[in-house]
Amino acid sequence: MMDIKNAIEIRDLTKKYDGFTLDNISFDVPRGSIMGFIGQNGAGKTTTLKLMLNLIRKDSGSIKVLGLDSVDDERKVKSQISAVFDELPFHDQINANQLSVILSDVFDSWDNKVYYNYIDRFALPRKKRFGEFSKGMKMKLQIAAALSHGAKLLIMDEATTGLDPVVRNEILDIFLEYLQDEENSILLSSHITTDLEKIADCVTFIDKGKILLSGGKDETVESHGIIKCRKNEYKDIDKEDIISARLTDFGAEVMVSNRVKAAAKYSGLTIDNTTLEEIMLFYVRREKGEWK
């Protein structure tokens, strides 16, 4: 048993590009959990994951993965984790049988039995070249490979994007199975919030290179709410209580981060439940304040 509390610990992480800065971000992924890493395309999700994998160099800050420094202990870290990206990293001309030979040389703990169990379970052909695979088959193949060397942490970048609902559900079920071992953890980067509603324990929202909020998924959804009111009632809501407000011809929908406090303060108004998708929508428009 590992005695670490967090599978990932990121502190004050910064990476500057021309036109984009990952700006001093910090968050933890508790061990044994699925963390949904949520944000629009271009928000900084992939940059963060590449920094964790030491594929690009950070400007400042620290990253610990499974209690190890992601740079100083890179080799040890990478032997214990698996990363799955949107695009297949394997050559189009090889097949599933050839891949098992290649990866058994890469990973000391490679398990052919586990790998072929997943290949058969996903109904993937063993001798067909990957260039002939559909997008869903390619993602299943990556996941089969990722789960076949005893990895304690899965890092997924948009792993369910572009897949049909049946394949997406199949993959989400695999993730939940993997989490049955309480030492295993998943960081799942996605802008498909409905998937994360189903399986995530925690969520971290990133927008324009900054972390907007990070915490338990249920607590995040339950603490937020949407006040639906007329325009004259909207004017009476304190600006400090508002994340942002969607104005319509009929009135306003106002996102608040503390439903209980808002219910007591604005007792005459209705406060509805919300979703991760709506929370993301209202937070990314917080700088505008009001939108349509």
Side-chain angles (χ1 to χ4, degrees):
M1 284 283 287
M2 290 186 293
D3 57 357
I4 58 164
K5 181 185 170 189
N6 295 314
I8 301 168
E9 291 181 0
I10 291 178
R11 294 289 177 272
D12 306 318
L13 184 63
T14 298
K15 176 69 178 178
K16 292 181 180 173
Y17 291 107
D18 186 20
F20 176 79
T21 299
L22 191 69
D23 193 2
N24 205 39
I25 69 165
S26 299
F27 67 93
D28 296 331
V29 177
R31 184 163 64 92
S33 72
I34 298 182
M35 166 74 80
F37 193 32
I38 306 174
Q40 300 181 98
N41 291 331
K45 301 189 303 295
T46 299
T47 299
T48 304
L49 300 191
K50 284 183 174 177
L51 287 164
M52 286 173 49
L53 296 166
N54 205 27
L55 298 175
I56 52 177
R57 299 286 176 184
K58 62 183 188 276
D59 292 334
S60 60
S62 67
I63 307 168
K64 282 198 162 185
V65 179
L66 303 175
L68 301 166
D69 186 279
S70 66
V71 178
D72 296 344
D73 304 307
E74 179 179 8
R75 195 173 180 84
K76 197 170 179 184
V77 166
K78 286 186 174 174
S79 71
Q80 299 179 63
I81 68 175
S82 282
V84 173
F85 288 92
D86 188 23
E87 295 298 324
L88 188 71
F90 309 128
H91 199 284
D92 276 355
Q93 295 302 312
I94 65 170
N95 61 35
N97 284 342
Q98 291 165 326
L99 184 66
S100 72
V101 175
I102 294 165
L103 293 183
S104 64
D105 283 339
V106 174
F107 295 106
D108 293 339
S109 52
W110 180 259
D111 190 325
N112 259 332
K113 185 179 177 187
V114 172
Y115 172 71
Y116 281 113
N117 278 344
Y118 280 117
I119 292 295
D120 294 342
R121 180 174 173 178
F122 286 144
L124 295 174
R126 297 187 180 200
K127 295 179 181 176
K128 192 174 191 175
R129 291 185 302 193
F130 298 152
E132 299 171 42
F133 276 25
S134 68
K135 187 173 176 63
M137 289 164 74
K138 287 178 179 178
M139 187 52 65
K140 287 177 177 179
L141 174 75
Q142 276 202 78
I143 289 166
L147 293 173
S148 297
H149 67 95
K152 293 297 176 193
L153 171 65
L154 295 186
I155 296 172
M156 306 279 178
D157 190 21
E158 300 288 359
T160 55
T161 301
L163 303 180
D164 69 64
V166 174
V167 174
R168 287 215 327 259
N169 279 325
E170 200 177 349
I171 288 170
L172 296 181
D173 285 343
I174 294 283
F175 292 165
L176 291 173
E177 274 178 34
Y178 172 76
L179 261 288
Q180 294 297 308
D181 182 336
E182 292 177 4
E183 283 195 19
N184 293 342
S185 315
I186 297 176
L187 177 62
L188 180 58
S189 151
S190 182
H191 63 270
I192 303 177
T193 51
T194 48
D195 287 349
L196 300 176
E197 293 258 13
K198 288 179 189 169
I199 65 167
D201 302 300
C202 321
V203 289
T204 294
F205 281 84
I206 188 169
D207 186 51
K208 295 174 187 163
K210 292 178 184 287
I211 300 294
L212 302 184
L213 58 91
S214 187
K217 178 198 70 184
D218 292 343
E219 294 86 339
T220 298
V221 173
E222 285 163 16
S223 65
H224 287 74
I226 294 181
I227 299 174
K228 293 186 176 173
C229 58
R230 294 190 291 271
K231 285 185 178 169
N232 63 318
E233 295 170 321
Y234 164 59
K235 290 185 179 74
D236 294 330
I237 300 174
D238 290 341
K239 289 283 183 278
E240 68 199 33
D241 295 330
I242 298 172
I243 303 299
S244 72
R246 175 163 49 195
L247 304 184
T248 68
D249 293 340
F250 309 104
E253 296 178 354
V254 183
M255 173 75 70
V256 293
S257 61
N258 189 328
R259 250 172 73 185
V260 174
K261 180 182 162 190
K265 196 168 175 180
Y266 311 108
S267 55
L269 301 179
T270 302
I271 304 183
D272 288 350
N273 295 338
T274 189
T275 62
L276 284 179
E277 185 168 358
E278 284 186 319
I279 292 170
M280 184 169 86
L281 199 61
F282 278 82
Y283 266 92
V284 298
R285 288 168 169 80
R286 73 201 180 288
E287 287 169 6
K288 290 182 181 175
E290 297 175 354
W291 50 285
K292 293 188 176 185

